[in-house]
Amino acid sequence: MTTSNKLIAAICLAFIGGLVAEFVKPQMPEGSDPGQMTLISAAVGLVVGWRVMGPRAGRSGPIELGLIGVFWLVFWGLATFGTIEMLRLALRRRFDEPVEALENLVRIALEYSLYLSATPILITLLAGVVVSGTVTNFAHRRWG
């Protein structure tokens, strides 16, 4: 069911995901191809906002709600990009066994998490916690 808080949470997290992806691109090694990183991050934000953050609106404070949303945005974003990179390497036959590919998925996701340690990215995520939680709770109170 479409509700205002789900829609607002999805829009907020999609914006945060896309913005963080743009800040991550310069952090990546020289010669790496980010591909559709911004669109994929925004799509992950849409889904996380709609499925995770939106239904929780009104049941917790704005900071808690924002922390939940941004945490799951980062988690699923890292899982998504780890999976994409692992599949790219698997199609080039870099792994001998499926277990090796899954182990490398975790390693790749952890490597991608290091890109998030830059100050502008951390500030963006922190601001995203406050803004997305506040706006989503407001939408729930006003239209929910």
mmCIF file of all heavy atoms in Angstrom, residues 77-114:
data_model
loop_
_atom_site.group_PDB
_atom_site.id
_atom_site.type_symbol
_atom_site.label_atom_id
_atom_site.label_comp_id
_atom_site.label_asym_id
_atom_site.label_seq_id
_atom_site.Cartn_x
_atom_site.Cartn_y
_atom_site.Cartn_z
ATOM 1 N N GLY A 77 23.796 -1.473 -0.159
ATOM 2 C CA GLY A 77 24.623 -0.914 -1.232
ATOM 3 C C GLY A 77 25.934 -1.664 -1.366
ATOM 4 O O GLY A 77 26.346 -2.033 -2.468
ATOM 5 N N LEU A 78 26.599 -1.902 -0.230
ATOM 6 C CA LEU A 78 27.846 -2.669 -0.262
ATOM 7 C C LEU A 78 27.605 -4.092 -0.750
ATOM 8 O O LEU A 78 28.403 -4.632 -1.527
ATOM 9 C CB LEU A 78 28.503 -2.678 1.115
ATOM 10 C CG LEU A 78 29.065 -1.344 1.607
ATOM 11 C CD1 LEU A 78 29.520 -1.454 3.057
ATOM 12 C CD2 LEU A 78 30.195 -0.879 0.708
ATOM 13 N N ALA A 79 26.523 -4.705 -0.306
ATOM 14 C CA ALA A 79 26.207 -6.067 -0.753
ATOM 15 C C ALA A 79 25.940 -6.091 -2.262
ATOM 16 O O ALA A 79 26.386 -7.004 -2.970
ATOM 17 C CB ALA A 79 25.002 -6.599 0.015
ATOM 18 N N THR A 80 25.244 -5.084 -2.749
ATOM 19 C CA THR A 80 24.932 -5.023 -4.182
ATOM 20 C C THR A 80 26.191 -4.844 -5.015
ATOM 21 O O THR A 80 26.413 -5.575 -5.992
ATOM 22 C CB THR A 80 23.950 -3.873 -4.465
ATOM 23 O OG1 THR A 80 22.750 -4.097 -3.722
ATOM 24 C CG2 THR A 80 23.623 -3.768 -5.939
ATOM 25 N N PHE A 81 27.032 -3.886 -4.629
ATOM 26 C CA PHE A 81 28.243 -3.646 -5.420
ATOM 27 C C PHE A 81 29.255 -4.772 -5.264
ATOM 28 O O PHE A 81 29.988 -5.076 -6.209
ATOM 29 C CB PHE A 81 28.855 -2.288 -5.075
ATOM 30 C CG PHE A 81 28.027 -1.155 -5.602
ATOM 31 C CD1 PHE A 81 27.347 -0.325 -4.729
ATOM 32 C CD2 PHE A 81 27.892 -0.954 -6.954
ATOM 33 C CE1 PHE A 81 26.558 0.704 -5.207
ATOM 34 C CE2 PHE A 81 27.103 0.066 -7.448
ATOM 35 C CZ PHE A 81 26.439 0.895 -6.573
ATOM 36 N N GLY A 82 29.296 -5.404 -4.109
ATOM 37 C CA GLY A 82 30.139 -6.584 -3.938
ATOM 38 C C GLY A 82 29.685 -7.719 -4.844
ATOM 39 O O GLY A 82 30.505 -8.408 -5.464
ATOM 40 N N THR A 83 28.373 -7.888 -4.934
ATOM 41 C CA THR A 83 27.821 -8.938 -5.791
ATOM 42 C C THR A 83 28.090 -8.649 -7.269
ATOM 43 O O THR A 83 28.474 -9.547 -8.032
ATOM 44 C CB THR A 83 26.309 -9.088 -5.556
ATOM 45 O OG1 THR A 83 26.090 -9.387 -4.175
ATOM 46 C CG2 THR A 83 25.711 -10.168 -6.427
ATOM 47 N N ILE A 84 27.911 -7.407 -7.670
ATOM 48 C CA ILE A 84 28.150 -7.043 -9.072
ATOM 49 C C ILE A 84 29.613 -7.296 -9.448
ATOM 50 O O ILE A 84 29.906 -7.892 -10.493
ATOM 51 C CB ILE A 84 27.766 -5.565 -9.315
ATOM 52 C CG1 ILE A 84 26.252 -5.406 -9.249
ATOM 53 C CG2 ILE A 84 28.307 -5.068 -10.652
ATOM 54 C CD1 ILE A 84 25.784 -3.959 -9.225
ATOM 55 N N GLU A 85 30.527 -6.869 -8.581
ATOM 56 C CA GLU A 85 31.949 -7.063 -8.870
ATOM 57 C C GLU A 85 32.319 -8.546 -8.842
ATOM 58 O O GLU A 85 33.096 -9.023 -9.678
ATOM 59 C CB GLU A 85 32.797 -6.275 -7.872
ATOM 60 C CG GLU A 85 34.278 -6.348 -8.120
ATOM 61 C CD GLU A 85 34.723 -5.691 -9.417
ATOM 62 O OE1 GLU A 85 33.957 -4.899 -9.993
ATOM 63 O OE2 GLU A 85 35.843 -5.991 -9.856
ATOM 64 N N MET A 86 31.755 -9.286 -7.889
ATOM 65 C CA MET A 86 32.028 -10.724 -7.822
ATOM 66 C C MET A 86 31.523 -11.425 -9.082
ATOM 67 O O MET A 86 32.226 -12.284 -9.641
ATOM 68 C CB MET A 86 31.362 -11.330 -6.583
ATOM 69 C CG MET A 86 31.623 -12.810 -6.378
ATOM 70 S SD MET A 86 30.426 -13.926 -7.144
ATOM 71 C CE MET A 86 28.918 -13.495 -6.347
ATOM 72 N N LEU A 87 30.340 -11.073 -9.553
ATOM 73 C CA LEU A 87 29.823 -11.686 -10.778
ATOM 74 C C LEU A 87 30.680 -11.324 -11.989
ATOM 75 O O LEU A 87 30.917 -12.163 -12.862
ATOM 76 C CB LEU A 87 28.374 -11.269 -10.999
ATOM 77 C CG LEU A 87 27.354 -11.878 -10.045
ATOM 78 C CD1 LEU A 87 25.984 -11.258 -10.264
ATOM 79 C CD2 LEU A 87 27.302 -13.384 -10.213
ATOM 80 N N ARG A 88 31.157 -10.083 -12.031
ATOM 81 C CA ARG A 88 32.024 -9.673 -13.130
ATOM 82 C C ARG A 88 33.301 -10.510 -13.146
ATOM 83 O O ARG A 88 33.736 -11.010 -14.194
ATOM 84 C CB ARG A 88 32.369 -8.188 -13.000
ATOM 85 C CG ARG A 88 33.130 -7.621 -14.181
ATOM 86 C CD ARG A 88 33.497 -6.161 -13.980
ATOM 87 N NE ARG A 88 34.490 -5.975 -12.930
ATOM 88 C CZ ARG A 88 35.798 -6.216 -13.080
ATOM 89 N NH1 ARG A 88 36.253 -6.676 -14.231
ATOM 90 N NH2 ARG A 88 36.645 -6.029 -12.090
ATOM 91 N N LEU A 89 33.883 -10.710 -11.965
ATOM 92 C CA LEU A 89 35.097 -11.534 -11.876
ATOM 93 C C LEU A 89 34.798 -13.009 -12.149
ATOM 94 O O LEU A 89 35.611 -13.709 -12.756
ATOM 95 C CB LEU A 89 35.744 -11.370 -10.507
ATOM 96 C CG LEU A 89 36.336 -9.982 -10.212
ATOM 97 C CD1 LEU A 89 36.798 -9.900 -8.772
ATOM 98 C CD2 LEU A 89 37.461 -9.665 -11.177
ATOM 99 N N ALA A 90 33.647 -13.486 -11.701
ATOM 100 C CA ALA A 90 33.285 -14.882 -11.935
ATOM 101 C C ALA A 90 33.084 -15.164 -13.424
ATOM 102 O O ALA A 90 33.453 -16.237 -13.915
ATOM 103 C CB ALA A 90 32.024 -15.235 -11.152
ATOM 104 N N LEU A 91 32.515 -14.206 -14.137
ATOM 105 C CA LEU A 91 32.327 -14.395 -15.570
ATOM 106 C C LEU A 91 33.648 -14.374 -16.330
ATOM 107 O O LEU A 91 33.734 -14.885 -17.446
ATOM 108 C CB LEU A 91 31.377 -13.331 -16.121
ATOM 109 C CG LEU A 91 29.925 -13.490 -15.670
ATOM 110 C CD1 LEU A 91 29.088 -12.315 -16.147
ATOM 111 C CD2 LEU A 91 29.344 -14.803 -16.171
ATOM 112 N N ARG A 92 34.672 -13.831 -15.721
ATOM 113 C CA ARG A 92 36.018 -13.876 -16.303
ATOM 114 C C ARG A 92 36.799 -15.084 -15.797
ATOM 115 O O ARG A 92 38.013 -15.157 -15.983
ATOM 116 C CB ARG A 92 36.773 -12.589 -15.974
ATOM 117 C CG ARG A 92 36.187 -11.401 -16.665
ATOM 118 C CD ARG A 92 36.999 -10.174 -16.413
ATOM 119 N NE ARG A 92 36.418 -9.061 -17.151
ATOM 120 C CZ ARG A 92 36.762 -7.818 -16.970
ATOM 121 N NH1 ARG A 92 37.696 -7.505 -16.105
ATOM 122 N NH2 ARG A 92 36.188 -6.872 -17.666
ATOM 123 N N ARG A 93 36.110 -15.958 -15.109
ATOM 124 C CA ARG A 93 36.668 -17.221 -14.601
ATOM 125 C C ARG A 93 37.857 -17.000 -13.658
ATOM 126 O O ARG A 93 38.876 -17.686 -13.740
ATOM 127 C CB ARG A 93 37.037 -18.147 -15.737
ATOM 128 C CG ARG A 93 35.850 -18.489 -16.604
ATOM 129 C CD ARG A 93 36.213 -19.525 -17.633
ATOM 130 N NE ARG A 93 35.119 -19.747 -18.529
ATOM 131 C CZ ARG A 93 34.198 -20.691 -18.369
ATOM 132 N NH1 ARG A 93 34.260 -21.485 -17.334
ATOM 133 N NH2 ARG A 93 33.226 -20.831 -19.241
ATOM 134 N N ARG A 94 37.699 -16.053 -12.736
ATOM 135 C CA ARG A 94 38.745 -15.774 -11.758
ATOM 136 C C ARG A 94 38.652 -16.663 -10.524
ATOM 137 O O ARG A 94 39.553 -16.681 -9.709
ATOM 138 C CB ARG A 94 38.685 -14.306 -11.308
ATOM 139 C CG ARG A 94 38.850 -13.308 -12.408
ATOM 140 C CD ARG A 94 40.310 -13.205 -12.819
ATOM 141 N NE ARG A 94 40.479 -12.437 -14.028
ATOM 142 C CZ ARG A 94 40.730 -11.157 -14.074
ATOM 143 N NH1 ARG A 94 40.826 -10.464 -12.982
ATOM 144 N NH2 ARG A 94 40.879 -10.553 -15.235
ATOM 145 N N PHE A 95 37.545 -17.379 -10.390
ATOM 146 C CA PHE A 95 37.339 -18.222 -9.216
ATOM 147 C C PHE A 95 37.242 -19.678 -9.640
ATOM 148 O O PHE A 95 36.677 -20.002 -10.673
ATOM 149 C CB PHE A 95 36.051 -17.821 -8.474
ATOM 150 C CG PHE A 95 35.982 -16.355 -8.151
ATOM 151 C CD1 PHE A 95 34.935 -15.573 -8.621
ATOM 152 C CD2 PHE A 95 36.945 -15.751 -7.371
ATOM 153 C CE1 PHE A 95 34.863 -14.231 -8.327
ATOM 154 C CE2 PHE A 95 36.879 -14.399 -7.067
ATOM 155 C CZ PHE A 95 35.833 -13.637 -7.548
ATOM 156 N N ASP A 96 37.795 -20.566 -8.791
ATOM 157 C CA ASP A 96 37.748 -21.993 -9.082
ATOM 158 C C ASP A 96 36.489 -22.646 -8.542
ATOM 159 O O ASP A 96 35.996 -23.609 -9.105
ATOM 160 C CB ASP A 96 38.984 -22.695 -8.494
ATOM 161 C CG ASP A 96 40.268 -22.231 -9.162
ATOM 162 O OD1 ASP A 96 40.211 -21.896 -10.368
ATOM 163 O OD2 ASP A 96 41.304 -22.194 -8.481
ATOM 164 N N GLU A 97 35.980 -22.123 -7.424
ATOM 165 C CA GLU A 97 34.815 -22.726 -6.767
ATOM 166 C C GLU A 97 33.823 -21.637 -6.370
ATOM 167 O O GLU A 97 34.203 -20.485 -6.169
ATOM 168 C CB GLU A 97 35.265 -23.463 -5.502
ATOM 169 C CG GLU A 97 36.235 -24.580 -5.741
ATOM 170 C CD GLU A 97 36.710 -25.205 -4.437
ATOM 171 O OE1 GLU A 97 36.233 -24.795 -3.367
ATOM 172 O OE2 GLU A 97 37.555 -26.094 -4.506
ATOM 173 N N PRO A 98 32.558 -22.010 -6.217
ATOM 174 C CA PRO A 98 31.546 -21.038 -5.789
ATOM 175 C C PRO A 98 31.830 -20.453 -4.399
ATOM 176 O O PRO A 98 31.562 -19.283 -4.155
ATOM 177 C CB PRO A 98 30.241 -21.837 -5.783
ATOM 178 C CG PRO A 98 30.475 -22.982 -6.694
ATOM 179 C CD PRO A 98 31.937 -23.282 -6.608
ATOM 180 N N VAL A 99 32.385 -21.255 -3.508
ATOM 181 C CA VAL A 99 32.688 -20.764 -2.161
ATOM 182 C C VAL A 99 33.749 -19.669 -2.228
ATOM 183 O O VAL A 99 33.684 -18.677 -1.493
ATOM 184 C CB VAL A 99 33.138 -21.935 -1.252
ATOM 185 C CG1 VAL A 99 33.604 -21.422 0.090
ATOM 186 C CG2 VAL A 99 32.027 -22.946 -1.105
ATOM 187 N N GLU A 100 34.714 -19.838 -3.117
ATOM 188 C CA GLU A 100 35.747 -18.817 -3.294
ATOM 189 C C GLU A 100 35.126 -17.508 -3.781
ATOM 190 O O GLU A 100 35.506 -16.420 -3.342
ATOM 191 C CB GLU A 100 36.796 -19.310 -4.287
ATOM 192 C CG GLU A 100 37.937 -18.342 -4.488
ATOM 193 C CD GLU A 100 38.932 -18.831 -5.536
ATOM 194 O OE1 GLU A 100 38.744 -19.926 -6.091
ATOM 195 O OE2 GLU A 100 39.890 -18.087 -5.795
ATOM 196 N N ALA A 101 34.143 -17.611 -4.662
ATOM 197 C CA ALA A 101 33.456 -16.411 -5.154
ATOM 198 C C ALA A 101 32.702 -15.710 -4.023
ATOM 199 O O ALA A 101 32.744 -14.482 -3.911
ATOM 200 C CB ALA A 101 32.493 -16.784 -6.274
ATOM 201 N N LEU A 102 32.034 -16.477 -3.174
ATOM 202 C CA LEU A 102 31.307 -15.886 -2.050
ATOM 203 C C LEU A 102 32.250 -15.254 -1.034
ATOM 204 O O LEU A 102 31.946 -14.198 -0.473
ATOM 205 C CB LEU A 102 30.418 -16.929 -1.383
ATOM 206 C CG LEU A 102 29.226 -17.414 -2.213
ATOM 207 C CD1 LEU A 102 28.487 -18.521 -1.492
ATOM 208 C CD2 LEU A 102 28.300 -16.260 -2.530
ATOM 209 N N GLU A 103 33.386 -15.882 -0.798
ATOM 210 C CA GLU A 103 34.381 -15.291 0.100
ATOM 211 C C GLU A 103 34.885 -13.969 -0.463
ATOM 212 O O GLU A 103 35.073 -13.001 0.272
ATOM 213 C CB GLU A 103 35.551 -16.245 0.307
ATOM 214 C CG GLU A 103 35.211 -17.442 1.150
ATOM 215 C CD GLU A 103 36.321 -18.477 1.168
ATOM 216 O OE1 GLU A 103 37.307 -18.336 0.395
ATOM 217 O OE2 GLU A 103 36.204 -19.441 1.942
ATOM 218 N N ASN A 104 35.085 -13.926 -1.765
ATOM 219 C CA ASN A 104 35.549 -12.700 -2.387
ATOM 220 C C ASN A 104 34.466 -11.635 -2.423
ATOM 221 O O ASN A 104 34.781 -10.449 -2.422
ATOM 222 C CB ASN A 104 36.080 -12.977 -3.794
ATOM 223 C CG ASN A 104 37.503 -13.447 -3.750
ATOM 224 O OD1 ASN A 104 38.387 -12.698 -3.361
ATOM 225 N ND2 ASN A 104 37.721 -14.694 -4.120
ATOM 226 N N LEU A 105 33.206 -12.028 -2.445
ATOM 227 C CA LEU A 105 32.111 -11.065 -2.367
ATOM 228 C C LEU A 105 32.233 -10.263 -1.074
ATOM 229 O O LEU A 105 32.144 -9.033 -1.077
ATOM 230 C CB LEU A 105 30.763 -11.785 -2.419
ATOM 231 C CG LEU A 105 29.516 -10.924 -2.466
ATOM 232 C CD1 LEU A 105 28.425 -11.662 -3.202
ATOM 233 C CD2 LEU A 105 29.034 -10.510 -1.121
ATOM 234 N N VAL A 106 32.476 -10.942 0.032
ATOM 235 C CA VAL A 106 32.629 -10.265 1.319
ATOM 236 C C VAL A 106 33.878 -9.384 1.310
ATOM 237 O O VAL A 106 33.846 -8.236 1.769
ATOM 238 C CB VAL A 106 32.675 -11.298 2.466
ATOM 239 C CG1 VAL A 106 32.999 -10.633 3.783
ATOM 240 C CG2 VAL A 106 31.365 -12.063 2.550
ATOM 241 N N ARG A 107 34.961 -9.891 0.767
ATOM 242 C CA ARG A 107 36.199 -9.109 0.699
ATOM 243 C C ARG A 107 36.000 -7.852 -0.139
ATOM 244 O O ARG A 107 36.425 -6.757 0.248
ATOM 245 C CB ARG A 107 37.332 -9.954 0.116
ATOM 246 C CG ARG A 107 38.676 -9.241 0.063
ATOM 247 C CD ARG A 107 39.717 -10.039 -0.706
ATOM 248 N NE ARG A 107 39.320 -10.389 -2.067
ATOM 249 C CZ ARG A 107 39.322 -9.534 -3.097
ATOM 250 N NH1 ARG A 107 39.684 -8.289 -2.929
ATOM 251 N NH2 ARG A 107 38.963 -9.943 -4.304
ATOM 252 N N ILE A 108 35.337 -7.996 -1.262
ATOM 253 C CA ILE A 108 35.097 -6.850 -2.147
ATOM 254 C C ILE A 108 34.201 -5.823 -1.463
ATOM 255 O O ILE A 108 34.451 -4.614 -1.530
ATOM 256 C CB ILE A 108 34.481 -7.333 -3.483
ATOM 257 C CG1 ILE A 108 35.505 -8.151 -4.263
ATOM 258 C CG2 ILE A 108 33.974 -6.157 -4.301
ATOM 259 C CD1 ILE A 108 34.920 -8.947 -5.407
ATOM 260 N N ALA A 109 33.150 -6.281 -0.790
ATOM 261 C CA ALA A 109 32.254 -5.364 -0.088
ATOM 262 C C ALA A 109 33.004 -4.611 1.009
ATOM 263 O O ALA A 109 32.788 -3.407 1.207
ATOM 264 C CB ALA A 109 31.067 -6.125 0.495
ATOM 265 N N LEU A 110 33.887 -5.291 1.710
ATOM 266 C CA LEU A 110 34.685 -4.620 2.742
ATOM 267 C C LEU A 110 35.657 -3.610 2.136
ATOM 268 O O LEU A 110 35.898 -2.551 2.721
ATOM 269 C CB LEU A 110 35.427 -5.642 3.593
ATOM 270 C CG LEU A 110 34.546 -6.484 4.521
ATOM 271 C CD1 LEU A 110 35.376 -7.556 5.213
ATOM 272 C CD2 LEU A 110 33.845 -5.602 5.535
ATOM 273 N N GLU A 111 36.208 -3.927 0.976
ATOM 274 C CA GLU A 111 37.083 -2.964 0.288
ATOM 275 C C GLU A 111 36.285 -1.724 -0.120
ATOM 276 O O GLU A 111 36.759 -0.597 0.018
ATOM 277 C CB GLU A 111 37.720 -3.592 -0.946
ATOM 278 C CG GLU A 111 38.834 -4.562 -0.640
ATOM 279 C CD GLU A 111 39.382 -5.232 -1.888
ATOM 280 O OE1 GLU A 111 38.986 -4.854 -3.016
ATOM 281 O OE2 GLU A 111 40.206 -6.145 -1.738
ATOM 282 N N TYR A 112 35.066 -1.929 -0.626
ATOM 283 C CA TYR A 112 34.217 -0.805 -1.004
ATOM 284 C C TYR A 112 33.850 0.035 0.213
ATOM 285 O O TYR A 112 33.661 1.233 0.096
ATOM 286 C CB TYR A 112 32.952 -1.301 -1.698
ATOM 287 C CG TYR A 112 33.099 -1.512 -3.183
ATOM 288 C CD1 TYR A 112 34.178 -2.217 -3.713
ATOM 289 C CD2 TYR A 112 32.160 -1.023 -4.066
ATOM 290 C CE1 TYR A 112 34.311 -2.423 -5.064
ATOM 291 C CE2 TYR A 112 32.284 -1.220 -5.437
ATOM 292 C CZ TYR A 112 33.356 -1.913 -5.918
ATOM 293 O OH TYR A 112 33.486 -2.110 -7.273
ATOM 294 N N SER A 113 33.743 -0.601 1.384
ATOM 295 C CA SER A 113 33.372 0.157 2.583
ATOM 296 C C SER A 113 34.468 1.151 2.969
ATOM 297 O O SER A 113 34.184 2.169 3.613
ATOM 298 C CB SER A 113 33.072 -0.780 3.744
ATOM 299 O OG SER A 113 34.243 -1.398 4.223
ATOM 300 N N LEU A 114 35.710 0.878 2.589
ATOM 301 C CA LEU A 114 36.798 1.815 2.881
ATOM 302 C C LEU A 114 36.619 3.135 2.137
ATOM 303 O O LEU A 114 37.077 4.180 2.610
ATOM 304 C CB LEU A 114 38.150 1.188 2.537
ATOM 305 C CG LEU A 114 38.549 -0.031 3.364
ATOM 306 C CD1 LEU A 114 39.868 -0.598 2.864
ATOM 307 C CD2 LEU A 114 38.631 0.321 4.837
#
